[in-house]
Amino acid sequence: MENIGFQILPINRRPNKALIERYRHIATPLISDNMSRLQGTYSHIRPFHKSKKITGTAFTVRTRAGDNLMVHKAIDMAERGDVIVVDAGGDMTQAIIGEIMLRLAKKNGIEGFVIDGAIRDSAAFESHDYPCFAKGVTHRGPYKDGPGEINVPITVGNMIVHPGDIIVGDEDGVIAVPLDFAEELIELATEQETKELGMFEAIENETIDRSWVDETLRQKGCAFM
């Protein structure tokens, strides 16, 4: 029998590595534009590392605010290339991870963290350039009592994440791609990237067509004086 609120589940479906690699080279805005611009975390979830992009399989954790017992278990369970995504309720009173957990996760080949909550030892994430997106920083450490859940659907920064989703994060934020739509979305995002590269070239050549701006204004009923 399930113990709702205090349980550990497996990831039943995982994306293949070739598909994850394709997402590694696509910027989050290109993905977001093809998900109706309504998906992804809000802007409070921001990077605390320097430059690395985060791309991998979502290994989800829901924990009680200020408690990281299940995050420790997730570090022991997650596979190489997984992204540990933590719903800590957005609470900022206690840090969910710090440098010790950073080092453990890095040693285990975990891709990084996305945390709707606080971290500490923030300078370590920058110096290691280890991917970590979080809501903020506090020196106050966590408790280790539970409860919590592993590999259940969670909400992080107003974004729904299912275990096995493809997580992509860069300087513009984090987005979760549902596995059922991942093949289609990468094609759409790649097509948009090609289109935008053509637009950049047209801007430089001064051949870009901007007539759509006035046409849209007319359609919206704007008065031209």
Side-chain angles (χ1 to χ4, degrees):
M1 176 180 173
E2 290 184 348
N3 184 1
I4 303 300
F6 206 3
Q7 60 179 340
I8 297 172
L9 303 174
I11 296 179
N12 293 322
R13 293 177 62 206
R14 287 179 168 274
N16 64 63
K17 288 182 171 56
L19 183 57
I20 291 174
E21 284 305 307
R22 292 189 68 189
Y23 273 97
R24 197 177 299 279
H25 305 288
I26 291 290
T28 55
L30 295 170
I31 302 169
S32 177
D33 282 358
N34 287 284
M35 297 178 74
S36 299
R37 301 180 176 179
L38 287 175
Q39 307 303 313
T41 58
Y42 54 41
S43 60
H44 290 26
I45 305 294
R46 59 189 180 88
F48 283 87
H49 53 287
K50 288 181 181 177
S51 58
K52 284 187 178 178
K53 187 173 181 179
I54 191 170
T55 313
T57 303
F59 192 101
T60 64
V61 183
R62 176 184 292 121
T63 187
R64 180 173 63 85
D67 191 286
N68 75 353
L69 177 61
M70 292 305 243
V71 184
H72 273 281
K73 182 60 178 175
I75 289 173
D76 292 342
M77 287 180 61
E79 296 185 6
R80 295 186 68 86
D82 284 352
V83 177
I84 295 178
V85 187
V86 184
D87 177 359
D91 182 77
M92 296 290 290
T93 56
Q94 317 291 145
I96 296 299
I97 62 169
E99 185 172 2
I100 292 172
M101 297 175 79
L102 178 166
R103 289 174 177 268
L104 285 167
K106 186 175 181 180
K107 193 70 173 177
N108 289 352
I110 294 165
E111 180 79 6
F113 292 96
V114 178
I115 298 177
D116 197 352
I119 66 169
R120 68 177 183 176
D121 304 324
S122 58
F125 289 93
E126 184 176 0
S127 64
H128 284 263
D129 200 14
Y130 186 74
C132 179
F133 293 79
K135 189 176 178 182
V137 175
T138 178
H139 57 80
R140 294 173 57 169
Y143 301 103
K144 296 172 176 60
D145 301 309
E149 296 178 295
I150 287 178
N151 288 325
V152 296
I154 61 173
T155 302
V156 173
N158 205 41
M159 174 179 71
I160 297 172
V161 185
H162 291 85
D165 284 353
I166 296 176
I167 299 295
V168 183
D170 57 22
E171 60 274 13
D172 289 319
V174 181
I175 195 162
V177 179
L179 195 50
D180 286 341
F181 307 107
E183 294 278 3
E184 179 183 359
L185 277 167
I186 193 63
E187 296 298 336
L188 292 171
T190 302
E191 288 174 11
Q192 182 172 333
E193 182 180 44
T194 301
K195 180 181 177 181
E196 290 190 2
L197 289 172
M199 292 174 66
F200 299 159
E201 185 177 350
I203 291 170
E204 292 303 313
N205 295 336
E206 299 183 357
T207 59
I208 192 165
D209 181 4
R210 300 286 291 163
S211 62
W212 70 269
V213 178
D214 286 348
E215 180 59 29
T216 301
L217 289 168
R218 277 191 288 269
Q219 289 179 6
K220 299 293 183 180
C222 179
F224 286 75
M225 308 302 289

